[in-house]
Amino acid sequence: MKKRHIALAALALVSVGGATAAYVATPTVHEGTPGETPELGRMGDYAVGTQEMAFAMPDRLTFGKLDMATGGTESETRTLQVRMYYPAAESGAEPITYSHTMDPPDMEPITFEYTGSAFADAAPVEEGQFPLVIMSHGFNGWSTQFSNLAEHIASRGYVVASIDHADMKLERASDFLHSFARVLASRSLDQRQVLAQIVERAGSEEAGAFSLIDTENIGLIGYSMGGYGALASAGGDYDYESGTFDAVPTDALAPVRAAASEDAGIDAVVAFAPWGGQPDNRVWSAGGLGDIAIPVLLVAGSEDDVSNYGEGIRWIFDSLTGADRYMLVYRDARHNVVGNDLDFATLDSGAGVPFRAIEFMNEPVWRQDRINGINQHFVASFLDRTLKGDKSMASYLDVPTVNANDGTWEVSFGEQLNGKMAGEEQPDHWRGFQRRWALGLEMHSKAAGE
């Protein structure tokens, strides 16, 4: 693998006016959700249950450090934990508290604990069929890194399965290339095989959350390396001659090649900051991405220096010629355009939290909670449109101006809006956003064939 590939991949590890008279002096408060959150970013009608379960995948190929030079592989049963979220009956219990320990090399471990809105092991609702959404994190991420998004989707009537890919732990700096090479060979296979097992269990009259799944409508959400896998799982086979795959034994790529010829049954994809389009690490040809024929929503920061917005993510968007697609852009954001808003000040180590951990989780310009509300708004509209066939959702995606700053909403002198969100009567403003609050965003769109 060329040095430039190693350097860019290493970066992926750490990143993982209106008139005064119209000013709203008293903020509108919405229970459980910040008043600034766009319309569809607010929780849905369902309580949410959650439970974690293991999925075993036999006969998976893996490889050690020496095998990267010799080409050797060995077979194993790969077992992954998957956290399920689903519409649930009301629960009198306390919401779940999630926990994850971040333990990279040369840094003291840090444990994050954060309270969700889901209820552990709550009984699923008794009636209803709901689309399935698979979630896939980035390199060295974890299944509850985006639990807020998963809970939000489930509250609107979806069953969500968030995979913990168990990326190889980095004991020392020299482990990086080995771990990353294994992710290159495993991410799409993990997504496909977990999805296949869930669909099989849903079709076997199994009780619990599986009984709620509508297997005819399936979405896949991936972030960074999860997006790298998601685009392949959706039909965009890799260019295996890319220098990015040089460290992966040829035999370890054979199952990935074989799976690419099979339709995974995915109906829509959301890719946050997908990795693999940037020139130094490009893993697709334009033709390979052009084979994707399902709707795609990309979400990116205009200053992403890991997946390279200008030459990477934008190139992916332009190359998806077989798909109806959207691309939401956070201007001045870098790579961390999705992820829970964690309060580092509440950790035992307080102000001593290493910057490395903060940089892995947070955006340098945008507030994480603001990003989350906007993501929830657009993911909800996209999934409702593509998986539930709700045509009214198109009005949230087909915005009147590419640049949100250019939207207009006329008000009379002294008129107080008190958090009112744009609807049919404000056709020149981004729908669902409050006046003066649709800023710093772009929405690009192209139809299949463009």
Side-chain angles (χ1 to χ4, degrees):
M1 181 177 285
K2 300 176 183 178
K3 290 183 179 179
R4 61 182 181 177
H5 296 147
I6 298 172
L8 193 56
L11 182 58
L13 171 62
V14 298
S15 74
V16 246
T20 303
Y23 180 75
V24 179
T26 304
T28 302
V29 176
H30 302 270
E31 184 178 355
T33 307
E36 68 187 66
T37 302
E39 180 182 354
L40 302 181
R42 293 131 198 269
M43 294 293 279
D45 296 333
Y46 292 99
V48 178
T50 184
Q51 60 183 135
E52 192 174 49
M53 56 190 68
F55 285 74
M57 294 165 283
D59 302 322
R60 286 286 295 270
L61 294 181
T62 189
F63 51 91
K65 283 185 179 179
L66 182 61
D67 294 326
M68 292 192 297
T70 65
T73 60
E74 58 183 275
S75 179
E76 67 171 5
T77 294
R78 180 169 171 79
T79 301
L80 299 179
Q81 296 296 315
V82 176
R83 179 162 288 280
M84 305 288 289
Y85 302 85
Y86 50 89
E90 292 290 341
S91 173
E94 291 295 316
I96 189 171
T97 296
Y98 304 105
S99 179
H100 175 76
T101 299
M102 188 176 178
D103 187 17
D106 305 320
M107 192 182 91
E108 288 296 316
I110 296 177
T111 297
F112 302 111
E113 290 191 346
Y114 38 105
T115 301
S117 59
F119 301 96
D121 301 316
V125 293
E126 294 183 359
E127 296 181 351
Q129 289 284 288
F130 306 98
L132 170 67
V133 177
I134 304 293
M135 294 184 70
S136 179
H137 61 72
F139 181 53
N140 273 187
W142 59 95
S143 64
T144 62
Q145 189 176 352
F146 324 119
S147 58
N148 63 324
L149 179 59
E151 291 173 341
H152 175 73
I153 295 169
S155 78
R156 293 182 58 87
Y158 292 85
V159 176
V160 181
S162 185
I163 305 171
D164 193 319
H165 291 279
D167 296 340
M168 190 188 81
K169 183 178 178 180
L170 305 180
E171 302 285 356
R172 56 194 68 83
S174 61
D175 292 336
F176 173 80
L177 182 58
H178 181 205
S179 179
F180 197 77
R182 289 172 61 163
V183 171
L184 289 171
S186 65
R187 205 47 120 232
S188 179
L189 288 179
D190 286 353
Q191 295 167 359
R192 284 174 169 270
Q193 293 183 3
V194 167
L195 170 57
Q197 288 194 26
I198 291 175
V199 169
E200 181 179 5
R201 294 174 70 169
S204 65
E205 298 185 357
E206 184 169 345
F210 294 102
S211 67
L212 303 178
I213 295 174
D214 171 10
T215 59
E216 297 300 314
N217 291 286
I218 297 172
L220 174 58
I221 298 176
Y223 166 59
S224 193
M225 292 307 293
Y228 152 89
L231 292 172
S233 297
D237 196 12
Y238 301 121
D239 172 9
Y240 298 99
E241 301 307 314
S242 165
T244 304
F245 293 107
D246 286 353
V248 183
T250 300
D251 287 350
L253 289 174
V256 185
R257 290 177 182 260
S261 64
E262 302 173 1
D263 182 358
I266 299 164
D267 301 295
V269 166
V270 180
F272 289 94
W275 190 92
Q278 60 274 32
D280 285 350
N281 301 87
R282 187 161 289 170
V283 297
W284 295 282
S285 66
L289 287 175
D291 289 337
I292 297 175
I294 59 175
V296 177
L297 170 63
L298 301 179
V299 182
S302 69
E303 302 304 316
D304 191 322
D305 52 350
V306 175
S307 295
N308 187 334
Y309 170 73
E311 299 177 286
I313 301 172
R314 181 85 206 197
W315 176 83
I316 290 174
F317 175 74
D318 290 337
S319 299
L320 291 167
T321 53
D324 294 329
R325 69 269 196 202
Y326 295 90
M327 182 169 65
L328 174 67
V329 180
Y330 290 90
R331 285 202 296 275
D332 295 324
R334 289 203 183 275
H335 191 61
N336 298 338
V337 291
V338 67
N340 288 355
D341 178 31
L342 300 181
D343 185 0
F344 290 95
T346 64
L347 298 177
D348 290 340
S349 48
V353 173
F355 182 74
R356 182 176 181 181
I358 295 171
E359 188 175 29
F360 185 86
M361 298 296 299
N362 286 350
E363 268 301 321
V365 173
W366 285 77
R367 293 194 340 256
Q368 211 69 29
D369 63 326
R370 177 66 173 160
I371 286 178
N372 289 342
I374 295 170
N375 285 340
Q376 289 163 192
H377 172 81
F378 282 111
V379 170
S381 59
F382 179 75
L383 294 180
D384 281 3
R385 177 70 186 91
T386 57
L387 299 184
K388 292 186 176 180
D390 186 345
K391 296 181 180 179
S392 70
M393 291 293 118
S395 62
Y396 295 92
L397 296 162
D398 297 329
V399 294
T401 59
V402 171
N403 183 344
N405 296 22
D406 295 334
T408 58
W409 179 343
E410 297 300 326
V411 295
S412 60
F413 181 77
E415 181 180 356
Q416 296 294 301
L417 299 177
N418 195 32
K420 179 180 179 180
M421 293 167 285
E424 293 182 359
E425 297 178 355
Q426 295 80 31
D428 299 320
H429 192 278
W430 280 29
R431 185 160 187 173
F433 283 78
Q434 300 87 342
R435 184 179 183 274
R436 303 176 62 247
W437 282 75
L439 288 171
L441 301 167
E442 298 174 11
M443 178 66 87
H444 303 265
S445 62
K446 290 187 178 183
E450 292 185 65

